[in-house]
Amino acid sequence: MFALSSQPLDTETLHRRLRSEQDGAVVVFEGVIRNRHGDRAVAALEYESVEALAAETFAALETEAIRRFGLSQVLAVHRTGRVAAGEPAVWVGVASPHRDAAFSGCRFVIDELKHRLPIWKKEIYADGANRWVNEPEKRQDTGGGCG
Amino acid sequence: MKVTLHYVAYLRETAGCAEETRTTAATTLAALYDEAAADHGFCWPRTTMAVAVNERVVPWTSPVRDGDEVLFLPPAAGG
């Protein structure tokens, strides 16, 4: 299950949802905004996504993770909007009978979520400047006003 | 044909709008991107992006159809 949230994440409630009598292992990953990127002080990140496509993309990822690792549950929530340094931007939790699958499955889900989901982020620096992360290099040809 | 283009992230900032309806003679999504890029000054190569039509990711060679809702997808940067 996946959701986007424009509000701070209720990580306690999310964590409780994963516990059951059938599963001996619950593994949670929290992606927290760091206050530095290289030598620059980071104040926050701003996230943007497209909900329907993100949910659909995650559903395929969840199915794959469950099948591949034998997970019982996969839960992920990603923030949208401004997230301050020190706050979680993404939360991924999995449950499975045993811990091997839970550790590997959780790692797989967060790695693939970052790679596949239509989510974009802008770093907001302490000096007020900002930069879109993973923005492709622009063409330098003179036609069409580039370069 | 009339299509609605949706812009996100730096495409939205450069275009100055999150959405626009446009009449186009472009026959493929690739040509549609080139058209929007020329109009708005998008300097990112189309090959760095993906494209979704009516909330489905499709190849750039796909035809443009009247009424399509098109979203150009920059490289993922979540987490």
Side-chain angles (χ1 to χ4, degrees), chain A residues 47-48 119 121-122 134 139 146, chain B residues 12-13 43-44 76-77 79:
Chain A
Y47 286 94
E48 186 175 336
I119 300 173
K121 64 190 176 200
K122 184 196 267 190
N134 228 12
R139 290 183 354 248
C146 294
Chain B
R12 187 195 63 253
E13 285 184 348
C43 294
W44 305 279

Side-chain angles (χ1 to χ4, degrees), chain A:
Chain A
M1 208 224 77
F2 177 78
L4 293 170
S5 174
S6 61
Q7 300 303 311
L9 304 181
D10 181 355
T11 56
E12 294 299 314
T13 300
L14 291 169
H15 202 149
R16 266 199 305 277
R17 283 175 64 177
L18 288 175
R19 292 202 189 102
S20 78
E21 292 181 359
Q22 289 75 42
D23 293 317
V26 169
V27 172
V28 169
F29 170 81
E30 280 189 11
V32 177
I33 304 297
R34 279 183 297 122
N35 62 7
R36 296 211 73 80
H37 179 100
D39 59 356
R40 298 189 82 168
V42 174
L45 262 65
E46 283 182 2
Y47 286 94
E48 186 175 336
S49 183
V50 279
E51 188 155 19
L53 190 60
E56 188 184 320
T57 306
F58 189 85
L61 168 56
E62 180 176 351
T63 299
E64 186 180 342
I66 287 170
R67 180 187 49 77
R68 191 162 153 173
F69 298 96
L71 306 174
S72 304
Q73 269 199 89
V74 179
L75 206 53
V77 184
H78 201 297
R79 282 293 311 275
T80 57
R82 188 178 177 107
V83 186
E87 291 298 308
V90 60
W91 189 99
V92 173
V94 305
S96 72
H98 303 287
R99 68 183 182 280
D100 272 355
F103 277 120
S104 300
C106 189
R107 179 65 195 253
F108 175 78
V109 172
I110 182 59
D111 283 354
E112 292 302 306
L113 181 154
K114 285 168 71 74
H115 178 65
R116 298 188 198 182
L117 261 65
I119 300 173
W120 305 279
K121 64 190 176 200
K122 184 196 267 190
E123 279 180 339
I124 314 294
Y125 300 109
D127 63 9
N130 63 71
R131 178 188 76 99
W132 285 100
V133 176
N134 228 12
E135 179 185 341
E137 251 188 68
K138 293 181 178 180
R139 290 183 354 248
Q140 293 299 313
D141 54 90
T142 51
C146 294

